[in-house]
């Protein structure tokens, strides 16, 4: 997959109505400062379309980036930042849950965790929300360049065990510095867009059989 065009199209706050369209959506969730904006910029081949910040908890909206006029990257609010009030955390949680529940165009949810650390309670809660809404997340282990190569497998195993991921859940190590993992993530998106829903596949098969 080649990203030729990317633009921030819609920004949704707590009370905003979510956009309605048929284009596939790919959502990115993760705690504050996990490298979500850096990942999205890396996938889009842009330096700062998704704004990065040294201040965790800055993303307080759901941001829709239109890609190649064909699909969307959806940047969900970062969670788990200690200095944010409980009331504010609750608002962001409701925004994320509302999006996961209401979006009919959502194809894949990417959950970002820091490869250097065991996933925390907020990461586990988000993983639970994603699976409860019928999605099998792809876990992206960010900041790969911050650890030694020899530590990678150990840390990936730690993440899988902490989140309780079964073997069907993909965990992709990613580095914002080297872009390792970028092509794999884009390939997973392409596969998801090319998947034919079970009901539609059955209908097509029946039509073919009728013509024979």
């Amino acid at each position: 997959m080649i990203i030729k065009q990317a633009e921030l199209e819609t920004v949704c706050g707590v009370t905003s109505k979510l956009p309605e369209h048929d284009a596939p959506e790919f959502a990115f969730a993760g705690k504050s400062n996990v490298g979500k904006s850096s990942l999205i910029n890396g996938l889009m081949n842009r330096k700062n379309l998704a704004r990065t910040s040294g201040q965790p908890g800055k993303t307080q909206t759901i941001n829709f980036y239109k890609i190649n006029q064909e699909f969307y990257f959806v940047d969900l609010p970062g969670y788990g930042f200690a200095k944010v009030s409980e009331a504010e955390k609750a608002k962001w949680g409701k925004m994320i849950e509302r999006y996961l529940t209401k979006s009919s165009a959502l194809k894949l949810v990417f959950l970002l965790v820091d490869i250097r650390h065991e996933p925390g309670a907020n990461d586990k809660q988000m993983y639970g929300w994603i699976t409860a809404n019928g999605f099998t997340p792809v876990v992206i282990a960010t900041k790969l360049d911050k650890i030694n190569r020899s530590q990678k497998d150990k840390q990936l195993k730690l993440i899988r065990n902490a989140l309780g991921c079964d073997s069907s859940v993909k965990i992709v190590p990613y580095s914002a510095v080297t872009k390792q993992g970028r092509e794999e993530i884009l390939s997973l998106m392409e596969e998801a867009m090319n998947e034919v829903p079970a009901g539609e596949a059955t209908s097509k098969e029946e039509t073919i059989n009728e013509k024979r």
Side-chain angles (χ1 to χ4, degrees):
M1 179 189 291
I2 299 173
I3 305 290
K4 296 180 179 179
Q5 186 179 9
E7 60 180 330
L8 176 59
E9 183 178 273
T10 308
V11 176
C12 292
V14 176
T15 59
S16 302
K17 184 180 179 182
L18 293 170
E20 295 179 8
H21 52 245
D22 297 325
E25 294 176 358
F26 298 94
F28 298 85
K31 67 183 180 182
S32 300
N33 233 17
V34 75
K36 193 152 48 69
S37 296
S38 295
L39 168 67
I40 293 172
N41 283 326
L43 293 175
M44 295 190 296
N45 269 333
R46 301 293 190 275
K47 286 188 177 179
N48 55 9
L49 186 55
R51 284 180 291 178
T52 58
S53 173
Q55 298 177 332
K58 189 172 182 181
T59 304
Q60 302 177 25
T61 54
I62 299 178
N63 299 332
F64 290 77
Y65 297 90
K66 193 164 191 179
I67 312 297
N68 293 348
Q69 296 297 315
E70 294 175 355
F71 58 94
Y72 289 88
F73 288 170
V74 183
D75 186 6
L76 300 175
Y79 55 80
F81 184 48
K83 291 185 180 179
V84 173
S85 70
E86 291 302 318
E88 201 67 23
K89 286 180 188 176
K91 285 181 186 177
W92 296 358
K94 286 177 182 176
M95 284 174 69
I96 295 170
E97 195 169 21
R98 177 166 64 102
Y99 171 73
L100 293 175
T101 304
K102 300 292 184 183
S103 175
S104 59
L106 183 54
K107 290 287 186 181
L108 267 182
V109 183
F110 294 94
L111 175 61
L112 280 65
V113 297
D114 189 327
I115 197 169
R116 298 172 297 177
H117 309 296
E118 180 177 344
N122 288 305
D123 297 312
K124 294 173 186 177
Q125 183 182 42
M126 178 56 68
Y127 184 85
W129 276 358
I130 295 167
T131 56
N133 281 284
F135 297 98
T136 300
V138 173
V139 178
I140 299 179
T142 63
K143 305 183 190 281
L144 177 62
D145 49 281
K146 302 289 187 185
I147 63 170
N148 295 326
R149 188 178 299 179
S150 60
Q151 296 176 288
K152 185 181 78 169
D153 290 343
K154 176 188 172 185
Q155 293 305 111
L156 294 178
K157 184 177 180 181
L158 178 70
I159 290 167
R160 185 175 292 279
N161 290 341
L163 293 177
C165 302
D166 62 34
S167 58
S168 67
V169 176
K170 291 184 181 294
I171 302 181
V172 181
Y174 177 78
S175 166
V177 176
T178 67
K179 300 299 185 291
Q180 182 176 335
R182 179 180 185 272
E183 294 307 316
E184 184 176 355
I185 294 166
L186 291 175
S187 293
L188 290 171
M189 292 179 181
E190 199 163 23
E191 286 174 20
M193 285 194 289
N194 291 332
E195 280 180 2
V196 179
E200 191 176 322
T202 302
S203 176
K204 285 182 179 178
E205 199 172 302
E206 288 172 353
T207 302
I208 291 169
N209 289 334
E210 285 173 6
K211 288 180 178 179
R212 286 176 178 171

